[in-house]
């Protein structure tokens, strides 16, 4: 069956060939600024359609809101949220870039319909590609930036349809060979099959049984919860999240994640290929991307779960896990100059609870590159921590989500942005943003990837540059008050994306070359750019995807060494 038979694409073009003049209407309520110690006694909160500005947020903003973004950048205090900033005034608005209209048109071409209703967007709409593979499917993780773009443009129906359809798919029986997957597993993707003769539509879902390596998508459930919360914040409509079906879906995902076993850490143990990096890349264990998404989905679930008897039981378990997870990640995954120096001086074979080197990491295993890479000012959450193993690679998605979810303390969030500025050539180069750094090569590449011909050095998941990450970088920049970084990155992207046909990824140490196997008109490259542009134009959109600091989860680390230089 060819692409035309399997996917019904909306070719009506862009509504007005550009952005509608629709403001976010996303209010930042106390819903995300919860007190964990008092959470069980807290009544349900209503989200109003109209924006609200609480006194605390306004008093924290050391900025004259009418003075424009330029003054904002120079006076903003790093580490504080701008989520309550109202829509930018006329003097702050700007004419849409010429490629915005093309981006919207391309995004609408990727729409998939099921029984007449828009249900999602396909991964790529590349007519030049001979092999469709699974790029004609709707992926849960890929649809997130598309969903945010539609929400920001005042079009929530497609997002609601997607949330309900994937929720229905969650209830399907899931088997790989003779093994049955957990009830709460969300699909990696689904495909709509149109029968023109019978005039029927059917859906085929993939829970990992067709994926490369046959790995279930751990991140799909987390993204679903995060997107449900984004829909709720954007529309002010709690009715969808409070339906019995959505409440059950959240609880099934939480049951999978909070089940007790042999774990000695609050982090989630995962296989290689279970997330955006869906091929063998040495991220097995406790990858930062999954842990950050796990943390964020836990916090979103707290805001969405109803305070009934069953809901309170889950809330209590979630609160305990959040405390443990935040302590573990901030203590053992965080790396700055001082921490690197401490690890370099670690003693080994320590025993008892007084051990400093708790994971028995051998200092000689620290890679040489990290000593030159680590600046005096800056830091980041490393890729993985497990017994006798630390993966010192930088992973963009995990660190950006850590900022947006407040897994990173305000000091850590600012230090992450410092690192991006200090190591701009390495992490951004000529096309934002490196999915990970550095690339693995030679013998290590052969061992870690199994000689994967797609993940060669500085390509694809192995140090490739992914335009979709632009929206996450922009969101992190707005939250930390570093707008100039986002503007610089967006300018780079705008100089190439349309001309190059909206590629999936770029290759090379600087991200200069279109990826050797990159699909053109990759939907999340298009949507990621649009979301970044809309957030930069109206920072209040950030409220959909960013959480506020929880006052009860006190930072357990001393002030980052990057702030004592």
């Amino acid at each position: 069956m060819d692409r035309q038979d399997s996917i019904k694409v909306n070719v009506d073009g862009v509504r007005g060939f550009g952005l509608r003049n629709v403001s976010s209407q996303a209010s930042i309520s106390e819903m995300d600024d919860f007190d964990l110690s008092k959470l069980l006694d807290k009544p349900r909160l209503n989200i109003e359609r109209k924006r609200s500005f609480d006194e605390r947020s306004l008093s924290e903003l050391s900025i004259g809101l009418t003075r424009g973004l330029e003054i904002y950048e120079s006076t903003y205090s790093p580490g504080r949220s701008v989520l309550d900033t109202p829509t930018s005034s006329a003097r702050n608005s700007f004419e849409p870039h010429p490629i915005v209209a093309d981006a919207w048109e391309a995004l609408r071409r990727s729409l998939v319909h099921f029984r007449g209703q828009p249900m999602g967007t396909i991964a790529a709409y590349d007519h030049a590609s001979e092999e469709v593979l699974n790029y004609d499917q709707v992926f849960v993780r890929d649809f997130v930036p598309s969903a945010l773009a539609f929400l920001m443009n005042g079009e929530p129906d497609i997002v609601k349809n997607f949330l309900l359809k994937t929720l229905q798919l969650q209830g399907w029986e899931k088997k790989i060979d003779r093994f049955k997957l957990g009830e709460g597993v969300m699909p990696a993707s689904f495909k709509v099959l149109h029968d023109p003769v019978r005039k029927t539509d059917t859906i085929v879902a993939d829970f990992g049984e067709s994926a490369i390596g046959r790995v279930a998508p751990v991140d799909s459930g987390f993204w679903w919860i995060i997107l449900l919360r984004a829909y709720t914040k954007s529309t002010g409509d709690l009715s969808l999240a409070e339906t019995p079906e959505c409440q059950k879906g959240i609880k099934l995902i939480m049951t999978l994640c909070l089940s007790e076993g042999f774990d000695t850490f609050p982090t989630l143990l995962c296989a290689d290929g279970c997330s955006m990096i869906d091929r063998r890349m040495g991220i097995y264990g406790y990858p930062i991307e999954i842990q950050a998404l796990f943390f964020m989905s836990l916090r979103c679930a707290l805001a969405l779960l109803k305070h009934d008897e069953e809901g309170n039981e889950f809330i209590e378990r979630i609160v305990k896990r959040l405390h443990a997870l935040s302590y573990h990640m901030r203590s053992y995954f965080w790396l700055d100059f001082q921490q690197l120096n401490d690890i370099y001086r670690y003693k080994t074979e320590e025993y008892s609870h007084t051990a400093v080197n708790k994971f028995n990491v051998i200092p000689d295993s620290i890679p040489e590159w990290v000593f030159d890479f680590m600046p005096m000012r800056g830091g980041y959450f490393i890729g993985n921590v497990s017994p006798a193993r630390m993966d010192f690679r930088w992973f963009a998605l995990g660190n950006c989500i850590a900022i947006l979810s407040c897994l990173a303390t305000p000091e850590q969030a600012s230090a992450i942005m410092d690192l991006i500025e200090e190591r701009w050539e390495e992490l951004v180069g000529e096309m934002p943003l490196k999915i990970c750094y550095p690339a693995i090569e030679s013998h290590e590449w052969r061992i870690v990837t199994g000689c994967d011909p797609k993940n060669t050095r500085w390509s694809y998941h192995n140090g490739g540059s992914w335009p979709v990450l632009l929206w996450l970088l922009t969101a992190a920049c707005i939250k930390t008050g570093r707008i100039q970084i986002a503007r610089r990155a967006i300018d780079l992207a705008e100089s190439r994306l349309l001309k190059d046909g909206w590629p999936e990824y770029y290759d090379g140490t600087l991200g200069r070359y279109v990826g050797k196997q990159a699909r053109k008109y990759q939907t999340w490259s298009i949507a990621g750019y649009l979301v970044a542009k809309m957030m930069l134009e109206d920072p209040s959109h950030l409220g959909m995807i960013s959480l506020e600091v929880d006052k009860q989860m006190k930072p357990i680390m001393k002030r980052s060494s990057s702030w004592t230089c």
Side-chain angles (χ1 to χ4, degrees), residues 431-545:
M431 175 57 64
L433 182 65
K434 286 292 181 194
I435 189 171
C436 70
Y437 180 89
I440 52 178
E441 50 189 315
S442 303
H443 180 66
E444 185 181 13
W445 168 78
R446 288 190 287 270
I447 296 298
V448 172
T449 72
C451 301
D452 187 349
K454 196 168 185 177
N455 272 332
T456 53
R457 64 177 184 172
W458 305 114
S459 180
Y460 202 51
H461 296 143
N462 189 13
S465 299
W466 290 69
V468 63
L469 297 172
L470 184 63
W471 79 266
L472 284 161
L473 175 63
T474 301
C477 288
I478 295 172
K479 180 152 189 166
T480 55
R482 311 287 273 273
I483 301 289
Q484 73 283 357
I485 297 178
R487 283 182 170 159
R488 185 180 176 190
I490 290 174
D491 287 345
L492 283 173
E494 286 177 334
S495 69
R496 293 285 304 273
L497 285 178
L498 178 58
K499 180 177 65 176
D500 295 335
W502 303 99
E504 179 182 12
Y505 63 95
Y506 286 76
D507 287 351
T509 55
L510 296 176
R512 179 176 296 173
Y513 303 97
V514 174
K516 59 184 177 182
Q517 295 187 43
R519 297 302 174 106
K520 297 295 185 71
Y521 287 91
Q522 185 79 14
T523 304
W524 68 356
S525 295
I526 298 165
Y529 164 74
L530 287 172
V531 171
K533 286 288 285 187
M534 284 189 281
M535 282 194 294
L536 197 61
E537 184 181 44
D538 181 1
S540 69
H541 285 312
L542 182 65
M544 297 182 199
I545 201 66

Side-chain angles (χ1 to χ4, degrees), residues 26-28 32 51-53 57 61 72 76 80-86 229 233 404 475 478-479 539-549:
S27 64
I28 307 305
D32 299 311
R51 285 194 191 91
S52 62
F53 308 97
S57 297
L61 290 173
Y72 159 78
Y76 186 77
R80 291 176 178 173
S81 173
V82 296
L83 300 189
D84 290 312
T85 304
R229 184 257 180 194
K233 296 292 287 187
L404 297 176
I478 295 172
K479 180 152 189 166
S540 69
H541 285 312
L542 182 65
M544 297 182 199
I545 201 66
S546 178
L547 302 174
E548 288 293 272
V549 174

Side-chain angles (χ1 to χ4, degrees), residues 114 153 170 191 286 289 388 527 551:
F114 178 74
N153 202 40
Q170 183 195 40
K191 182 174 182 176
Y286 306 91
E289 176 177 338
K551 299 174 183 177

Side-chain angles (χ1 to χ4, degrees), residues 306-322:
K306 296 175 71 173
H307 287 245
D308 52 24
E309 183 177 355
E310 185 181 13
N312 285 335
E313 291 179 2
F314 275 93
I315 287 171
E316 184 177 3
R317 294 169 64 189
I318 290 171
V319 169
K320 291 179 180 178
R321 190 61 166 262
L322 277 171

